[in-house]
Amino acid sequence: DGTLDLADVKLPVLAVAGRGDGIAPVAACHHVADLLPDAEVELATAPGGHLGVLTGRAAAGTTWALLDEFLDRPAKRRAKRSKPRAGAA
């Protein structure tokens, strides 16, 4: 039926919240860790609003750098984080 049970997600997940996002605030974005109990979830923040966090002028040096770092690490070395870490300013 195409339904995804979030409890079945076991892949590493990087949740990046924009510090200036008024649509999806940091606390709401980082709640994803609670929704994926069996996934390795890393929480991060980066400067920018709802779209700017991914497409803004600074995104290549902040959000994209976080993503590159996340993808470069072997899955077994990723640790489930309970506290968000700040991205590059």
Side-chain angles (χ1 to χ4, degrees):
D1 69 354
T3 302
L4 172 68
D5 185 347
L6 294 177
D8 291 337
V9 175
K10 306 212 183 324
L11 298 172
V13 173
L14 173 63
V16 180
R19 289 193 289 267
D21 193 337
I23 297 171
V26 173
C29 293
H30 286 174
H31 182 64
V32 73
D34 297 330
L35 300 173
L36 303 170
D38 293 325
E40 295 178 32
V41 179
E42 181 171 333
L43 308 174
T45 59
H50 195 66
L51 293 175
V53 73
L54 293 173
T55 62
R57 286 181 285 178
T62 57
T63 307
W64 298 359
L66 289 169
L67 181 57
D68 285 342
E69 177 187 323
F70 177 79
L71 293 172
D72 283 344
R73 283 183 300 209
K76 66 183 179 181
R77 293 185 58 203
R78 292 188 190 118
K80 185 172 182 175
R81 294 181 186 251
S82 58
K83 295 182 181 178
R85 73 180 173 107

